[in-house]
Amino acid sequence: SATAQQYDCKSANGGWSCTTQDSQTVRPPRPEPSQPISTSTAKTDASQAKGSAPTAPAAPQSVSSNRGKGLASRSADFSHLDWVPREELSEAQLAEVGPYCSGAYIEPIRPGMNDTSSFSDSPLYVNAGVSRYEQKTETATLAGDVIIRQASLQAEADEANLYQQDNLGELKGNVRIRDRNALLVGDRAELQLDSGAAKVENAEYVMHAGNSRGSAQYVRRQEDAIIRLKDGTYTSCSPGSNAWHLRGNNVTLNPNTGFGSATNVTLRVKDIPVFYTPYIHFPIDDRRQSGFLPPSISYSNDNGLDLTTPYYFNLAPNFDATLYPNYMSNRGLLTEGEFRYLSKSSESRIGGAWLSDDEDERKLQSEYKKDRWMYMLQHEQGFNQRLLGSIDYTAISDPYYFQDLNSNIIAGSNETLDQKANLTWRGNSYSAQLGVHAYEMANISDVTPYDKLPQFSLAGALPYQPAGLQMSYNTEWTRFDRSLKKGNYYDEDGKTEPWRDVSLKGLSRANGDRMHIEPAVSLPMNWSWGFIKPEVKYAYTRYDLNLDSTGKEYLRDNKTKFNSSPDRSIGIYSVDSGLYFDRETQWSGTNYRQTLEPRLFYLYVPNEDQTDLPLFDTSEMQFSYASLFRDNRFSGHDRIGDANQVSLGLTSRWLDDSGFERQRISFGQAYYFSDRKVLLSGTDYKKVAANTSSRSPYASEYMFQFNHEWRVNADLMWDPDTHRTRSGSAMFHYQSQQDLNKIVNFGYRYRNDTLHLNDDGIWVTGSTDYVDKNDNDRVYKDFYKIEQTDASFMWPVMPQWSVIGRWQFDYNRNSTLEAFGGFEYDSCCWKLRLINRYWVDYDERNMSPLDNRTGDHGVFLQIVLKGLGGVTGNKVETFLDEGIQGYRERENNAY
Amino acid sequence: CGFHLRGTGSTQMALTELNFAARDALSPLSKDVKQSLINNKVAISSSAPFTLYLGLEEDSRRTASFTAGTRSAEYTLTTALNYELRSGNLPALIQDSVAVQRSYAYNQNNVTGSGQEEALLRQEMRRELVMQLMMRLQAITPTQLDSLKSQAERKERAAAEAREAEIRAQQFEEPQQSPILIP
């Protein structure tokens, strides 16, 4: 055919003489076999691959009549928009395409597409089937697959007139103007040959990198490549779909910044307007996304109708901000915002929220505030490699803030808030730290915690080791301070009861300084077949205490002398040793190395009376396999447990060829040669069975992971003296690596050895009954026991549809803690989640833990319009993330 | 039953020298890993053919169970580490992660003490993490790394050639002269 040849035209005597010449270019084929061109035509020009001019051009359909879809009259398979169906995409291209997209916009390779030279400096390339030049008007008339190319810009049309005087090109019929990552298709266009400015009529456009398209009666391409649409549309839906699109007055697409904006925008679903906004800012490529984040709508008993429409500001590559306007019909508008900043040596996050709360159910309660606010600051700073600084500070208007209100910027249960700052110097063999750490209570029923204001610590080891001796040190100086609440708490009904702090008696009301010095010498001997490590530690602790009159009185009444500067010095002697045995084994066709690791730990710590020492940062840790090999059964430095015991443990591992631990089982027990006399609180160790028995519970741990996809963890502490289980758990987690959408979690937890503070201010281990004074002294059996199951899943049931669910049940209280179920529909350009949820809210109305449980019920709807922003923040996100382990990984890899 | 003392068999660390690099080379984890390598008779030298690269220690925590009053009763702590074995500027030869999980009972009325307990658990978990990493490293032989290296080099070369070919092709195709000259 004629188009198989190109014409080589040379100007001669005022006219052009044209001779045919073979196309000299061979271009990589583009994956567009929908065009009936056999791959054998190697000498194909790009102009042909676009499809030849229609033989009988029908009257062009107007883009305003397409109801948000691509113009099928231009090509039924939308190849005119560079659309390539899924089946024809290469492996690499497929990887970039969302799972439910029927294809993608693939920019064809063309000469000059990577040309970055300036427009005016680049030569003009013109090619056409036939051409004529009118000397008098300086007009060139071109017809038949016209190609005009300059720098990275390429224009194609059926016909063209080039007006040389005005440097203007007029293009007619099947016009397509391409720039890098952009395609404009239209019926007629004017192109400024010296600047690249263009105006296309009845136009459709595609931004390949952003997977987006749209249309407008007129599209202007400015010299600076910015595209402006008059009454244009924008969508990330495939050309054949009008699931949603935006329609705005002035739409601007700026490929230089990666953003688009529009004014007077309606969001249309199937061309029906559903939402209006005067202005919108959105991303047009896969650079940092900006614009509206997915809105969330929910209805719950507490807040009523609840609507959040987050908006993300991409301010610079290293800082951004997000605004979360959250309207609750029962409360009002909660405005929350966050600002993040990143530099080479620092990272910061600043956030805040404010609400004038219309809900006044807490009006009679102590510490009620009508104006609710929250602010937080997180900052990490590396001054240099060795000196690090960090701040983590959150403050709230009232202790009920997180019970009543959701936060998009602070995750977690937030029962107490950290207010801390640290300065750390990291030497080669030591580290020094200066820190302040205060807590703000986000509840009213807990005892006020001690603040560390400040704490200085220095820990390390001597760099030289004479005769293999390792010498280390651990020093700490801390000022512990808290102001205990006095008097009465007013509950929801205005009734009073004493604050929890009032139950604290004697020394537990003390504030003061504590200095702790702990040098240690050890002689570790390691061989490939085992190790032995004798160690001697010396711990010296000195206090400087203040005690209020209430505390002093209590001590006087109990005939105890108050010592304002007690001290304690104790030697800690231990020998840790172990052997490693190996064997090669096979198990269902795989080679394993099975190990057998017996371990023996002897510990001797003399008894020292520590009843005159307060409890600043010390708690007794629950018994576990790991605690067999610790030299102190208490955390913190206020108690050092006396011991004369030997612990035996045996671990066996199955390692595969890559060293991956597939299975591990551990079993052990400690044998005591004397009673443990040091208690957390109270004085009579003989009443505590765990402190007088001659052996510990059996401790066992089990872990099995087939691969990175699924794992089982279990442990069991069983007491042979009482023939009862102390604690036990079994957890199962599965998440497919191929399809992160497939998640199953199951967990069972049992614990009968929790610590709690009884009404007399004494720490009690194990479960006891609870007497509810607010409810006619009703008795709740085994109140402090934990026995719960938690099952959650996400699973694709058919293409595009996934089911989501969780059920957490408390056997001890015989009630459901949380249950939700719903589904997710995912398509190429939008996603929807609808979830029905029941949960037990922690909502403090008085001091009784049981009265503060409230069942709440909500229906949550989340809609994500892909291409208008990322999926972050949000209420649905929060409970899915907290409820389903693996959800975060899934979302981080979602399209 | 087939068990023998380690060291009398063939389960020594096969790598005898490694270069060490980390996102945060002075972090406690990096120090522990370095010390552990030395204890396992692996020389740390910048001239070693292969580099062990450690990412940041990633700590997370989720509520595992609730009290009768629906407060957090137990937390599950996770500490994870991404590591790579590298050679020169080639893409990672081996890329994997290790993770350790532990649970503990949180004490609402002794927040400061619970914080201290969590810090202690994190320390123990770090030691466990280092041990898991050492078990992975023990399974790696220099021969295996050499073959992975030559594989990666081949891939890199092929990719470089493809890139060059693409550039050449484009330069060649780029028409230097317009078929139609406008005076």
Side-chain angles (χ1 to χ4, degrees):
Chain A
S1 73
T3 48
Q5 298 164 325
Q6 290 199 342
Y7 289 85
D8 185 13
C9 303
K10 289 190 177 77
S11 138
N13 305 328
W16 280 358
S17 76
C18 296
T19 53
T20 62
Q21 65 169 41
D22 283 347
S23 159
Q24 72 277 61
T25 54
V26 183
R27 292 199 181 87
R30 113 172 235 268
E32 199 182 26
S34 55
Q35 295 291 332
I37 290 172
S38 72
T39 45
S40 61
T41 52
K43 294 187 172 192
T44 305
D45 188 89
S47 58
Q48 286 175 286
K50 297 289 112 57
S52 44
T55 38
Q61 200 191 339
S62 163
V63 292
S64 52
S65 65
N66 65 347
R67 302 166 60 86
K69 294 182 184 174
L71 270 191
S73 64
R74 284 192 171 138
S75 63
D77 57 359
F78 303 110
S79 55
H80 72 282
L81 295 175
D82 290 347
W83 182 254
V84 178
R86 195 175 183 88
E87 310 80 71
E88 289 157 21
L89 292 173
S90 73
E91 196 84 1
Q93 288 163 342
L94 263 180
E96 301 287 313
V97 178
Y100 306 118
C101 290
S102 58
Y105 306 102
I106 304 295
E107 192 173 11
I109 292 169
R110 62 189 160 87
M113 69 185 290
N114 294 322
D115 196 337
T116 49
S117 52
S118 83
F119 209 80
S120 50
D121 295 346
S122 305
L124 181 71
Y125 173 97
V126 182
N127 198 354
V130 285
S131 64
R132 204 160 57 82
Y133 188 72
E134 194 85 42
Q135 188 84 64
K136 210 160 73 187
T137 55
E138 292 185 42
T139 304
T141 307
L142 311 167
D145 296 321
V146 180
I147 300 183
I148 299 167
R149 195 181 294 145
Q150 197 162 17
S152 65
L153 200 72
Q154 170 179 296
E156 295 163 84
D158 293 343
E159 293 167 42
N161 293 320
L162 304 184
Y163 304 102
Q164 226 180 350
Q165 273 174 341
D166 302 329
N167 262 326
L168 182 74
E170 186 194 14
L171 308 168
K172 278 180 282 187
N174 290 308
V175 177
R176 8 168 109 241
I177 297 178
R178 291 182 179 281
D179 198 354
R180 238 171 116 183
N181 187 28
L183 166 67
L184 305 174
V185 183
D187 295 334
R188 191 184 162 277
E190 284 167 20
L191 176 66
Q192 211 63 44
L193 294 170
D194 50 353
S195 68
K199 183 183 166 197
V200 185
E201 291 169 20
N202 199 28
E204 291 172 278
Y205 69 88
V206 171
M207 312 289 285
H208 302 84
N211 247 319
S212 56
R213 65 172 174 89
S215 61
Q217 270 317 314
Y218 293 99
V219 173
R220 258 176 216 288
R221 179 197 188 271
Q222 293 178 182
E223 291 173 33
D224 51 8
I226 294 173
I227 294 171
R228 287 182 182 282
L229 319 178
K230 187 83 189 116
D231 296 328
T233 69
Y234 175 87
T235 181
S236 64
C237 294
S238 60
S241 155
N242 63 352
W244 68 267
H245 67 274
L246 299 179
R247 189 174 284 261
N249 280 150
N250 294 298
V251 182
T252 307
L253 308 169
N254 188 343
N256 307 318
T257 60
F259 296 122
S261 66
T263 55
N264 281 328
V265 186
T266 50
L267 168 67
R268 285 164 185 251
V269 173
K270 304 274 177 202
D271 210 30
I272 300 160
V274 294
F275 180 75
Y276 170 84
T277 173
Y279 179 78
I280 186 170
H281 190 66
F282 53 88
I284 56 168
D285 57 24
D286 45 13
R287 269 181 266 186
R288 273 269 289 283
Q289 298 179 321
S290 176
F292 277 108
L293 299 179
S296 166
I297 305 166
S298 65
Y299 184 87
S300 65
N301 309 342
D302 259 14
N303 295 338
L305 182 72
D306 188 328
L307 171 71
T308 312
T309 52
Y311 193 83
Y312 176 74
F313 300 88
N314 185 45
L315 303 171
N318 66 332
F319 62 98
D320 63 15
T322 316
L323 193 66
Y324 300 91
N326 179 0
Y327 174 76
M328 291 166 279
S329 60
N330 291 358
R331 295 185 185 277
L333 181 69
L334 170 70
T335 311
E336 192 172 33
E338 179 192 35
F339 181 84
R340 300 189 298 177
Y341 177 81
L342 195 69
S343 84
K344 213 171 168 184
S345 60
S346 74
E347 207 181 312
S348 346
R349 227 155 71 86
I350 300 170
W354 192 81
L355 162 77
S356 174
D357 200 345
D358 295 337
E359 174 65 80
D360 61 355
E361 58 177 1
R362 294 193 188 278
K363 206 164 188 166
L364 300 173
Q365 277 178 275
S366 297
E367 305 197 6
Y368 160 82
K369 297 267 166 38
K370 181 180 168 55
D371 289 339
R372 322 285 299 264
W373 50 259
M374 180 273 292
Y375 67 88
M376 62 88 135
L377 164 67
Q378 287 175 357
H379 181 79
E380 268 175 59
Q381 176 85 48
F383 296 100
N384 57 43
Q385 260 241 306
R386 298 197 179 274
L387 185 62
L388 304 181
S390 75
I391 300 173
D392 181 356
Y393 191 98
T394 308
I396 46 177
S397 56
D398 58 276
Y400 318 107
Y401 184 91
F402 284 108
Q403 295 170 26
D404 293 343
L405 304 170
N406 292 303
S407 173
N408 287 288
I409 60 179
I410 295 186
S413 43
N414 298 313
E415 292 163 7
T416 46
L417 304 171
D418 285 321
Q419 300 183 335
K420 61 180 176 181
N422 279 313
L423 206 56
T424 311
W425 176 268
R426 307 184 299 179
N428 285 334
S429 60
Y430 68 93
S431 92
Q433 191 171 62
L434 178 64
V436 286
H437 192 167
Y439 296 94
E440 171 149 11
M441 303 297 288
N443 69 75
I444 47 92
S445 46
D446 288 352
V447 165
T448 306
Y450 277 108
D451 297 336
K452 295 185 259 193
L453 298 169
Q455 179 168 59
F456 176 76
S457 65
L458 176 68
L462 297 190
Y464 45 86
Q465 294 162 6
L469 283 175
Q470 262 185 17
M471 283 173 272
S472 63
Y473 52 90
N474 187 1
T475 41
E476 203 183 276
W477 184 88
T478 316
R479 167 150 197 92
F480 290 98
D481 195 36
R482 65 175 169 188
S483 36
L484 294 170
K485 292 198 176 80
K486 292 187 183 74
N488 282 330
Y489 171 75
Y490 289 83
D491 74 8
E492 189 184 35
D493 306 319
K495 285 195 290 193
T496 59
E497 54 190 312
W499 284 100
R500 197 73 217 270
D501 285 353
V502 175
S503 72
L504 294 176
K505 296 183 174 75
L507 262 188
S508 46
R509 304 188 69 86
N511 287 336
D513 306 339
R514 185 186 71 193
M515 180 185 66
H516 181 79
I517 301 172
E518 194 178 300
V521 182
S522 67
L523 183 63
M525 286 172 277
N526 293 300
W527 302 275
S528 60
W529 46 266
F531 72 96
I532 182 159
K533 184 185 176 190
E535 186 173 37
V536 178
K537 274 186 189 175
Y538 171 75
Y540 176 75
T541 317
R542 192 191 158 80
Y543 293 82
D544 235 324
L545 303 177
N546 308 310
L547 188 61
D548 64 1
S549 53
T550 322
K552 278 181 178 155
E553 253 164 58
Y554 179 84
L555 290 184
R556 212 178 303 127
D557 293 349
N558 285 273
K559 305 204 167 34
T560 317
K561 208 175 143 266
F562 169 60
N563 184 356
S564 67
S565 51
D567 66 347
R568 173 195 63 195
S569 56
I570 290 184
I572 299 161
Y573 311 89
S574 65
V575 181
D576 196 0
S577 60
L579 292 172
Y580 307 121
F581 295 94
D582 286 328
R583 72 165 181 177
E584 304 303 320
T585 178
Q586 270 209 338
W587 187 27
S588 59
T590 318
N591 286 323
Y592 288 96
R593 182 154 69 90
Q594 190 192 349
T595 74
L596 206 58
E597 303 167 26
R599 188 171 171 188
L600 186 142
F601 179 71
Y602 175 74
L603 175 68
Y604 176 74
V605 184
N607 175 33
E608 177 98 1
D609 182 15
Q610 299 172 37
T611 47
D612 59 347
L613 307 184
L615 290 172
F616 285 153
D617 64 354
T618 293
S619 181
E620 188 162 7
M621 292 182 280
Q622 273 71 30
F623 181 77
S624 68
Y625 184 75
S627 62
L628 291 175
F629 306 102
R630 288 181 189 139
D631 60 13
N632 190 4
R633 57 180 183 272
F634 300 100
S635 68
H637 298 309
D638 300 313
R639 293 286 181 277
I640 294 176
D642 58 323
N644 184 7
Q645 68 183 69
V646 63
S647 302
L648 289 172
L650 184 67
T651 297
S652 186
R653 305 172 200 272
W654 281 258
L655 307 173
D656 72 9
D657 288 340
S658 66
F660 184 77
E661 190 183 58
R662 289 270 184 104
Q663 189 172 218
R664 180 183 66 228
I665 185 160
S666 299
F667 184 80
Q669 193 180 21
Y671 302 92
Y672 305 115
F673 307 124
S674 63
D675 292 346
R676 275 75 61 216
K677 300 176 184 73
V678 177
L679 297 173
L680 197 58
S681 60
T683 45
D684 194 359
Y685 71 91
K686 290 205 170 81
K687 284 185 186 156
V688 187
N691 283 35
T692 53
S693 71
S694 62
R695 56 185 174 172
S696 76
Y698 297 119
S700 58
E701 267 185 357
Y702 178 71
M703 189 280 296
F704 178 68
Q705 50 184 347
F706 183 69
N707 48 30
H708 282 296
E709 293 195 337
W710 60 276
R711 63 184 289 155
V712 176
N713 280 81
D715 60 6
L716 180 71
M717 314 305 140
W718 191 78
D719 193 337
D721 291 341
T722 58
H723 293 274
R724 284 176 74 174
T725 302
R726 273 254 202 132
S727 64
S729 71
M731 314 289 277
F732 170 83
H733 171 64
Y734 169 82
Q735 183 162 30
S736 164
Q737 299 282 299
Q738 258 75 50
D739 185 356
L740 293 169
N741 201 5
K742 292 180 176 170
I743 303 171
V744 178
N745 297 306
F746 177 79
Y748 171 80
R749 303 196 71 88
Y750 178 89
R751 185 173 287 285
N752 202 9
D753 62 351
T754 53
L755 260 181
H756 70 273
L757 191 65
N758 71 10
D759 289 342
D760 301 326
I762 302 285
W763 287 101
V764 182
T765 304
S767 188
T768 47
D769 301 341
Y770 173 77
V771 182
D772 194 351
K773 288 176 195 136
N774 291 1
D775 188 11
N776 305 321
D777 287 345
R778 193 172 152 189
V779 177
Y780 291 89
K781 292 287 290 173
D782 279 341
F783 191 75
Y784 299 95
K785 197 164 88 180
I786 296 166
E787 193 177 4
Q788 281 160 28
T789 54
D790 187 0
S792 61
F793 64 89
M794 288 188 98
W795 204 266
V797 282
M798 50 181 155
Q800 301 192 280
W801 294 85
S802 296
V803 287
I804 304 170
R806 183 194 193 193
W807 185 37
Q808 189 174 33
F809 189 78
D810 183 346
Y811 286 94
N812 204 31
R813 298 265 70 78
N814 203 17
S815 72
T816 293
L817 293 174
E818 179 170 19
F820 60 75
F823 65 87
E824 177 186 282
Y825 173 79
D826 193 4
S827 83
C828 185
C829 63
W830 66 288
K831 181 149 91 170
L832 177 146
R833 281 190 194 127
L834 186 65
I835 293 168
N836 187 5
R837 179 184 181 220
Y838 168 85
W839 72 103
V840 176
D841 227 359
Y842 185 69
D843 198 3
E844 288 179 322
R845 290 168 297 185
N846 57 41
M847 293 272 189
S848 158
L850 278 171
D851 286 353
N852 295 333
R853 296 168 60 113
T854 20
D856 206 343
H857 178 253
V859 179
F860 296 78
L861 174 68
Q862 188 186 30
I863 301 165
V864 181
L865 301 179
K866 295 181 186 180
L868 284 189
V871 187
T872 54
N874 231 303
K875 281 186 198 67
V876 184
E877 299 288 317
T878 311
F879 71 73
L880 290 180
D881 188 20
E882 284 170 12
I884 306 178
Q885 191 190 349
Y887 171 80
R888 185 59 32 220
E889 289 74 9
R890 172 190 192 262
E891 284 312 290
N892 289 345
N893 290 288
Y895 288 92
Chain B
C1 48
F3 282 105
H4 50 80
L5 270 176
R6 190 175 299 171
T8 55
S10 57
T11 46
Q12 286 275 48
M13 199 79 127
L15 295 164
T16 52
E17 61 168 346
L18 265 180
N19 183 18
F20 181 84
R23 263 289 291 278
D24 185 358
L26 286 169
S27 72
L29 178 75
S30 297
K31 283 182 187 172
D32 288 357
V33 170
K34 253 177 153 169
Q35 190 56 48
S36 205
L37 286 171
I38 293 165
N39 290 348
N40 279 284
K41 302 196 170 56
V42 179
I44 295 175
S45 110
S46 52
S47 60
F50 301 107
T51 303
L52 171 68
Y53 173 84
L54 303 185
L56 286 183
E57 179 185 326
E58 284 159 36
D59 294 342
S60 61
R61 159 177 122 153
R62 54 191 309 135
T63 303
S65 65
F66 292 87
T67 65
T70 66
R71 309 271 307 273
S72 299
E74 288 175 294
Y75 283 110
T76 298
L77 306 177
T78 306
T79 298
L81 171 72
N82 287 309
Y83 68 92
E84 289 176 5
L85 278 143
R86 296 175 172 177
S87 173
N89 293 325
L90 289 170
L93 307 178
I94 293 177
Q95 198 170 18
D96 211 339
S97 64
V98 280
V100 177
Q101 281 190 327
R102 282 281 186 86
S103 298
Y104 81 103
Y106 179 78
N107 196 336
Q108 304 151 16
N109 284 314
N110 191 351
V111 174
T112 321
S114 287
Q116 205 67 27
E117 183 170 348
E118 185 174 330
L120 180 81
L121 280 181
R122 290 276 183 206
Q123 254 177 46
E124 291 181 356
M125 289 166 74
R126 191 179 302 137
R127 276 205 289 276
E128 170 77 22
L129 202 65
V130 173
M131 201 173 74
Q132 295 280 340
L133 178 65
M134 288 304 137
M135 294 194 297
R136 303 276 180 91
L137 293 179
Q138 255 164 22
I140 297 170
T141 61
T143 350
Q144 184 193 354
L145 286 180
D146 279 329
S147 89
L148 283 171
K149 184 183 172 185
S150 49
Q151 250 177 55
E153 276 170 345
R154 268 202 303 281
K155 238 190 210 163
E156 195 81 335
R157 256 202 310 277
E161 275 164 20
R163 262 198 311 277
E164 242 169 69
E166 197 179 300
I167 292 166
R168 259 204 312 277
Q170 243 179 25
Q171 276 171 346
F172 171 72
E173 281 162 21
E174 202 93 5
Q176 301 301 313
Q177 193 69 48
S178 178
I180 296 175
L181 291 178
I182 298 165

